[in-house]
Amino acid sequence: MMQSKGSNSKVSNMVFRTRISSLLISMFAIFASFYVAGRLWQDAQNRVYLIKELDRVTGLGQSAISVDDTLKIIACREQHKTLSALEMDLAIARQEGFTSKRSSDTSGAVSKRKPLVVIGVLTRFGRKNNRDAIRKAWMGSGETLKKMEKEKGVVSRFVIGRSADREDNLDRSIDDENRQTNDFIILDQVEAPGELPKKVKMFFALAADKWDADFYAKVNDDVYVNIDALGATLSSHLDKPRVYIGCMKSGQVFSEPSHKWYEPDWWKFGDKKSYFRHASGEMYVISGALAKFISINRSLLRTYAHDDVSAGSWFIGLDVKHVDEGKFCCSSWSTGAICSGV
């Protein structure tokens, strides 16, 4: 009888100690979770505050930003995007029981990927025949356009501004066309020949804001593009963080106001009156980091009379790899060429 009472007392003590241990472990786990969550939240709030401050300062357009500061801003925004993506993945995982349901192809690669290149086809009013020819020749439309984006990572859009007389027949015709094709980027600026350099700048800035691509390309609406050759060439430059690719040239600066290619700022280019090396305007490509640089500094980057000279000026003072690629010389079609004027 005494032995039975002793045994019962030992069992009770063991149960009591086990409950105490379990309670302590649970409390420690809860406190640790609160601590980690608090630190993550604080870090996220700090990053959001910093980015808002940077956006506020850079958006004023009142003070110049150094290249180092710009690269820091880019890095901070990239970290913020990564943090936001992780938070979204975590929320999806909670809903799906921490089981990924993103589709994969037969090789196991995730089918949803960042675009390889976003192509902006610069067009104007009254050029619908050119746009239809491009859709038929290489850009596609509807499901064909979506297939090129999904399978080849190539996003292509026509880029146009607005009429000086807003909502007139010119604007309505573009809106009607876009409702049918859904392949335009319509800029909030006046569509005019003298505004082309600003138009190119706004395309790069808005495209970098909307798509996180490896490259961004500017193309005229009278150029045929070999998409497969373009993809193969750009893939060979993925290892270069800041790259500017095109048919490089250095043309004459014309100071006579009556000349077709008159440059109002001709005196800035020295006594020899020759432009610095830059890519020909029919088609050229810049890497993602350079497009983000343009997006951040859009209010500070000045433009010249021509869009190709303007683009070249934005990169001449940066640590950028200039690639003179003959395949981008659209004036002559050759085997393996990427573009051709039509």
Side-chain angles (χ1 to χ4, degrees), residues 197 263 265 268-269 275-276 302-307 309-310 313:
E263 173 58 73
D265 289 313
K268 292 183 179 180
F269 297 92
Y275 286 117
F276 43 76
R302 67 149 301 137
T303 56
Y304 293 96
H306 314 296
D307 71 281
V309 174
S310 299
S313 72

Side-chain angles (χ1 to χ4, degrees), residues 110-277:
V110 179
S111 60
K112 187 177 181 180
R113 58 181 181 179
K114 67 186 295 186
L116 173 65
V117 59
V118 176
I119 303 174
V121 183
L122 279 288
T123 189
R124 310 191 300 272
F125 296 123
R127 306 275 286 185
K128 188 176 185 301
N129 288 340
N130 288 54
R131 294 191 290 272
D132 286 340
I134 285 177
R135 291 183 182 109
K136 185 177 180 180
W138 62 267
M139 182 171 155
S141 60
E143 291 302 318
T144 305
L145 183 64
K146 293 179 182 178
K147 184 178 180 181
M148 184 171 70
E149 295 178 8
K150 182 178 180 181
E151 297 183 357
K152 298 184 178 182
V154 177
V155 177
S156 186
R157 297 290 187 272
F158 292 106
V159 183
I160 196 168
R162 285 296 189 183
S163 171
D165 300 321
R166 294 299 177 96
E167 299 183 0
D168 61 2
N169 289 334
L170 295 175
D171 278 351
R172 285 194 291 271
S173 66
I174 293 298
D175 290 336
D176 290 341
E177 185 179 346
N178 191 37
R179 274 191 288 270
Q180 297 175 11
T181 60
N182 194 28
D183 57 4
F184 277 88
I185 295 176
I186 302 177
L187 304 177
D188 187 20
Q189 72 172 57
V190 175
E191 179 63 40
E195 298 298 316
L196 182 57
K198 294 179 181 178
K199 183 177 173 181
V200 171
K201 180 172 66 171
M202 288 307 300
F203 157 66
F204 282 131
L206 295 179
D209 291 344
K210 184 172 183 179
W211 289 282
D212 181 22
D214 292 310
F215 300 97
Y216 299 81
K218 179 262 178 178
V219 180
N220 287 343
D221 69 353
D222 56 358
V223 171
Y224 173 86
V225 178
N226 185 330
I227 294 297
D228 292 333
L230 175 64
T233 298
L234 295 183
S235 295
S236 67
H237 294 290
L238 286 171
D239 59 329
K240 302 177 182 66
R242 294 174 300 278
V243 63
Y244 173 39
I245 313 171
C247 180
M248 298 294 170
K249 66 177 185 178
S250 181
Q252 181 180 353
V253 180
F254 295 97
S255 57
E256 300 79 17
S258 59
H259 198 279
K260 178 181 179 181
W261 306 115
Y262 169 60
E263 173 58 73
D265 289 313
W266 58 267
W267 60 274
K268 292 183 179 180
F269 297 92
D271 297 333
K272 293 184 178 180
K273 294 184 180 180
S274 181
Y275 286 117
F276 43 76
R277 189 71 65 181

Side-chain angles (χ1 to χ4, degrees), residues 3-16:
Q3 186 176 3
S4 176
K5 289 182 178 181
S7 299
N8 291 337
S9 176
K10 290 180 180 180
V11 171
S12 298
N13 289 336
M14 290 177 64
V15 171
F16 179 75

